[in-house]
Amino acid sequence: MSNRDVLRDRARTFHALHVPGRPLVLPNAWDAMSARLVEAAGAPAVATTSAGLAWALGVADGNELDREPALAALARITAAVTVPVSADVESGYARDAAGVADTVRAVLAAGAVGINIEDAAHGRGAAPLRSVAEQCERLAAAREAADAEGVPLFVNARIDTFLRGAGGVDATLERAAAYRAAGADGVFVPGTVDPGTVKALAAGVTGPLNILAGPGAPPVAELAALGVARVSAGSGIAEAAYAVVGRAARELLDAGTYGAVADGVPYGELNALLRTER
């Protein structure tokens, strides 16, 4: 089977995992080891967190990471697992729609079969979001690039109305309808876990709805009952991992003790996860 055939099969598998009421649950990864741990835990797919990936590469999140190091890291992640991988590509690592198309081709070359692409307008003055027309152009470019490659890439359109305080349910649904018409397969709305709001979004979005969850959010079972088709952890797991680093460093430097690392995954177990003869 050719690499292109493998990508097509993984993309179809990834699409099929998005079922309202029986959501795809994604504990987001940021490097090869975290991806292997997620796969070993039983996840049917792996999604990256742009924040975790950027931090691991020494760059702040929010459109500051360049395409080349991001895609090199993505290639290492896809090589480490056998399940489908979806990449959070922030705003597309590009200034314009043509650049987004270039990013999509690079994502496919790296072995991923899904992307998240957001409409937040980082560093663009007072406007918190790109215009609907501009974002639709970027989404259409992503769709066309993937279709030209013959791979049904899952394009997850992230809408940052709630996250950036730029609108409520009506504004979100307006954008969702436009983004779906432009070629998005699903809609990702971070920034709200209110059950009434989530239910309204699930009812109003024509495609699979993705919600960002973490401490304080309803359990996955409750989100499923509201009609959610995908639940993401976002940067939460990476944040927790880095919290251990901070606690362990302070304890070792201040008290000279080692309690913070007492529950670490054993060296041999971690090392075995990345052996090539899996």
Side-chain angles (χ1 to χ4, degrees):
M1 183 180 289
S2 69
N3 288 339
R4 188 57 48 83
D5 288 335
V6 170
L7 280 179
R8 287 193 191 100
D9 285 349
R10 287 185 178 176
R12 293 186 186 112
T13 296
F14 190 63
H15 274 264
L17 292 170
H18 293 76
V19 181
R22 188 162 52 85
L24 169 62
V25 179
L26 294 170
N28 298 75
W30 60 95
D31 61 8
M33 181 59 81
S34 60
R36 279 292 293 124
L37 286 165
V38 168
E39 181 184 39
V46 168
T48 66
T49 158
S50 66
L53 190 147
W55 297 335
L57 295 175
V59 179
D61 188 33
N63 274 9
E64 296 196 21
L65 181 61
D66 291 333
R67 179 195 292 151
E68 289 73 18
L71 273 294
L74 177 63
R76 291 191 290 272
I77 289 169
T78 62
V81 299
T82 59
V83 296
V85 175
S86 181
D88 185 337
V89 297
E90 302 191 48
S91 293
Y93 300 131
R95 292 183 179 273
D96 56 21
V100 172
D102 290 339
T103 295
V104 164
R105 286 186 282 269
V107 164
L108 293 172
V113 295
I115 60 168
N116 281 7
I117 183 165
E118 66 195 49
D119 60 5
H122 299 282
R124 292 167 62 92
L129 305 181
R130 296 181 188 274
S131 71
V132 172
E134 181 184 6
Q135 189 65 5
C136 283
E137 183 182 4
R138 296 168 74 88
L139 289 166
R143 175 83 282 142
E144 290 165 10
D147 290 350
E149 294 293 318
V151 179
L153 180 78
F154 191 100
V155 178
N156 203 30
R158 184 175 125 177
I159 302 175
D160 281 358
T161 42
F162 286 94
L163 202 61
R164 303 291 295 272
V169 170
D170 290 344
T172 303
L173 293 179
E174 179 182 347
R175 284 180 175 263
Y179 295 171
R180 287 276 288 146
D185 297 289
V187 171
F188 180 25
V189 185
T192 182
V193 292
D194 171 73
T197 301
V198 171
K199 185 175 182 178
L201 291 171
V205 170
T206 59
L209 175 65
N210 183 185
I211 291 295
L212 178 67
V220 170
E222 185 175 336
L223 294 172
L226 296 171
V228 172
R230 177 166 164 178
V231 178
S232 301
S235 62
I237 296 173
E239 292 169 13
Y242 289 128
V244 173
V245 175
R247 287 195 299 271
R250 286 190 296 271
E251 181 187 0
L252 184 58
L253 292 169
D254 296 344
T257 54
Y258 324 101
V261 297
D263 296 323
V265 181
Y267 168 90
E269 185 176 333
L270 285 175
N271 209 41
L273 283 173
L274 292 181
R275 292 194 186 280
T276 55
E277 61 273 13
R278 291 191 282 115

